[in-house]
Amino acid sequence: EAQVTQNPRYLITVTGKKLTVTCSQNMNHEYMSWYRQDPGLGLRQIYYSMNVEVTDKGDVPEGYKVSRKEKRNFPLILESPSPNQTSLYFCASSPRRGVGYFGPGTRLTVT
Amino acid sequence: RKEVEQDPGPFNVPEGATVAFNCTYSNSASQSFFWYRQDCRKEPKLLMSVYSSGNEDGRFTAQLNRASQYISLLIRDSKLSDSATYLCVVNGGSSASKIIFGSGTRLSIRP
């Protein structure tokens, strides 16, 4: 079954404690991206990757890092999370530049 | 001005009605357009791409008006299951790889 998986699905953490949200796709897609969704602001792109070892900033990259060492995986790293990063996060993959398929989401709360 | 704007709704229409919503975009260089559907607390799912000539998928029709810089979605014979938030997505805003989401239009179909 073609899918995008994210883990964890829910996470409550404290300010400053580094965390990683994993994203994996089994469709051999080249393009992957991360979004955050906040009430009233909609979905905003954090980072995207056109292929292995190729990543670029989206609209709201501050406070986030990504890596693309393998085609299937695109983890999102928060080195020092802050409360304003409390949000619903989605990973997405697509065979070419675009949005394509979303993962189920990760609800992150930073206290 | 937002790069992609949608009427947030909610649109509350009876089952069987026809409903349409528009989405305007600010960058005339935008290259591709999509409609996504998002159910409460779930990930967005691709509903349909929007082609220059307009396209139809069952009860759904999407149109693009480049001159006036808007896309539209028409739903005919609406079903209760059409209740969701509809997101307009524009690819290639101020940069070729940039993907911009509208904030979404909430649709509620009543029996």
Side-chain angles (χ1 to χ4, degrees), chain B residues 1-51:
Chain B
R1 183 188 170 191
K2 288 184 180 178
E3 290 189 77
V4 176
E5 292 203 66
Q6 292 183 251
D7 183 337
F11 286 66
N12 190 326
V13 303
E15 199 173 4
T18 295
V19 61
F21 6 95
N22 287 345
C23 165
T24 58
Y25 60 95
S26 61
N27 191 323
S28 59
S30 298
Q31 297 166 6
S32 51
F33 310 87
F34 309 89
W35 283 104
Y36 272 71
R37 166 199 172 122
Q38 185 174 26
D39 295 293
C40 189
R41 297 181 177 275
K42 296 287 186 94
E43 72 272 23
K45 293 187 177 175
L46 178 64
L47 181 65
M48 57 199 303
S49 302
V50 186
Y51 301 122

Side-chain angles (χ1 to χ4, degrees), chain A residues 89-102:
Chain A
Y89 291 87
F90 289 104
C91 177
S93 79
S94 173
R96 54 193 169 280
R97 187 180 63 234
V99 188
Y101 301 87
F102 279 88

